[in-house]
Amino acid sequence: AKASLEERICYYEKGMDESARYRRQIAGELRSAIDRNEFYVLYQPQRSLKTQMLIGYEVLLRWQHPVRGLVSPAEFIPIAEETGEIFRIGEWVLREACAEAAKWDNELVIAVNISAVQLSQPNLPEILAQVLLETGLPARRLEIEITETAIIGDKARALHVLRRIKAMGIAIAIDDFGTGYSSLDTLNSFAFDKIKIDKSFLLLSHDRPQARAIIRAVLALGRSLDVPVLAEGVESNAHVDLLEAEGCEQVQGYLFGRPGAAPSLATLAIASSGG
Ligand code: C2E
Ligand code: CA
Ligand code: CA
Ligand code: CA
């Protein structure tokens, strides 16, 4: 028999309760996660498509929870943004990544994700400056990745913060490009140093001709604006063929390297000699 409307509503409310309770629990546990050393970061290579040369690494946060196991950033970052814990977490990631990259004797760039909430922080430029000073990483080796949605809220304030960061010599990439609802306006309002095409376009490209047309258009846009374009989510040789045919410069994806432990100095020595 079908559940009555009352039963269904009750079930729905119970689901809501559980998800609210889950979020509250996660929020509480996030507060002690740094002190308990439950966070670590992984590094995923970004390469030139033509030469396969390493350009740098994107830093991806992981939370090893003592009971829940590995919790995905897609799950806990939104909660950390809601509670404001993202400020401390974001700064921790930044310090961790910059300290690691400062040990490498090369010009590789370290790309760190900065959440929309962090961008609303007027002292973000000071935090970045402080971390660079402490770790000794030159500003030119740091790149921050921000999504389009980061600029939508208080646009004037976000742009002001971005301009100050750029003036410090830190590169700014627009992440998940094409998935927000004001991509062109965002691109028009700030001189980004890199466009990262969202992986959904490549991952759908073999089923949908539209996806390939969009990739082509974004690459043309990058050329017109003189901004390098990186394609995310490169998983197969078919993806590489498509990107080569369309003239994409930079790639990142499982085919070229999964997110992993910090590269060893030996790996870096080989990579920077073109291997
Ligand atoms: P994102 O910034 O778009 O990061 C790329 C995501 O795609 C990563 O997921 C990465 O592991 C995954 N990926 C890389 N190559 C491939 C591929 O070839 N195929 C597929 N299907 N996926 C690929 P991850 O590590 O689970 O991170 C998810 C999201 O969480 C990130 O998306 C980012 O928005 C957020 N995130 C991760 N670390 C941080 C952080 O330190 N700070 C902030 N604010 N957000 C973070
Ligand atoms: Ca990213
Ligand atoms: Ca992305
Ligand atoms: Ca994303």
Side-chain angles (χ1 to χ4, degrees), residues 117-136:
V117 175
Q118 286 174 277
L119 202 63
S120 71
Q121 204 179 5
N123 68 337
L124 181 62
E126 282 75 24
I127 292 170
L128 290 168
Q130 178 66 32
V131 170
L132 291 176
L133 189 73
E134 274 175 28
T135 60

Side-chain angles (χ1 to χ4, degrees), residues 5-111:
L5 184 60
E6 289 76 22
E7 275 166 347
R8 273 184 283 158
I9 289 172
C10 182
Y11 186 76
Y12 177 72
E13 283 181 345
K14 186 160 167 270
M16 293 275 286
D17 271 5
E18 271 169 13
S19 106
R21 203 175 63 211
Y22 173 78
R23 292 175 77 85
R24 260 200 315 277
Q25 274 173 0
I26 292 281
E29 292 161 6
L30 274 173
R31 242 173 283 135
S32 49
I34 293 181
D35 299 331
R36 295 185 184 171
N37 286 316
E38 292 167 2
F39 288 126
Y40 62 96
V41 293
L42 295 180
Y43 298 80
Q44 186 178 33
Q46 302 183 330
R47 294 180 184 276
S48 151
L49 181 56
K50 208 180 277 174
T51 65
Q52 310 269 306
M53 282 270 282
L54 200 54
I55 298 164
Y57 289 90
E58 178 177 2
V59 178
L60 295 159
L61 180 60
R62 295 291 178 267
W63 183 17
Q64 182 64 54
H65 189 284
V67 180
R68 300 178 199 275
L70 200 56
V71 186
S72 160
E75 205 169 319
F76 70 81
I77 296 276
I79 299 174
E81 288 177 331
E82 240 171 63
T83 62
E85 197 59 31
I86 191 68
F87 296 123
R88 279 213 312 142
I89 297 174
E91 204 174 319
W92 182 87
V93 171
L94 201 64
R95 204 164 258 120
E96 186 77 12
C98 292
E100 183 64 36
K103 293 192 252 167
W104 311 339
D105 181 24
N106 57 34
E107 283 300 311
L108 293 176
V109 167
I110 195 84

